[in-house]
Amino acid sequence: MCAGQVGKTGPVKLLPAFVVDRLPDDWWRPGNLRRFLSTDVHFCDDDHVKSIEVNGRLIAQGRKVFPYGRWD
């Protein structure tokens, strides 16, 4: 699960929800914490929708319910 809002300013939205919803589902498979150029990128489940965190800060969130159970 994502950390959600971080700090007093809340999440930063860098991608529109429709873009996040259309990204490949495989990016949200288990083991989805990635490291790119000293940056942690986490493709996570935040209230059952696709979310993206960078260094623990929520930067984008989809709107459609995502079927995470497919990898159980």
Side-chain angles (χ1 to χ4, degrees):
M1 185 141 106
C2 280
Q5 293 188 354
V6 178
K8 295 180 181 178
T9 59
V12 174
K13 302 294 176 126
L14 296 179
L15 293 173
F18 75 90
V19 172
V20 177
D21 287 335
R22 288 188 174 106
L23 291 173
D25 291 348
D26 283 349
W27 291 8
W28 277 265
R29 290 181 72 101
N32 54 22
L33 179 62
R34 309 279 193 258
R35 186 111 171 127
F36 299 109
L37 302 172
S38 301
T39 302
D40 290 326
V41 179
H42 184 212
F43 299 98
C44 54
D45 167 8
D46 191 13
D47 293 328
H48 304 291
V49 296
K50 293 177 178 178
S51 299
I52 303 170
E53 285 184 353
V54 173
N55 289 333
R57 182 157 180 121
L58 184 66
I59 63 157
Q61 186 172 39
R63 288 193 187 123
K64 295 181 180 178
V65 175
F66 183 69
Y68 289 97
R70 75 171 74 176
W71 292 299
D72 288 342

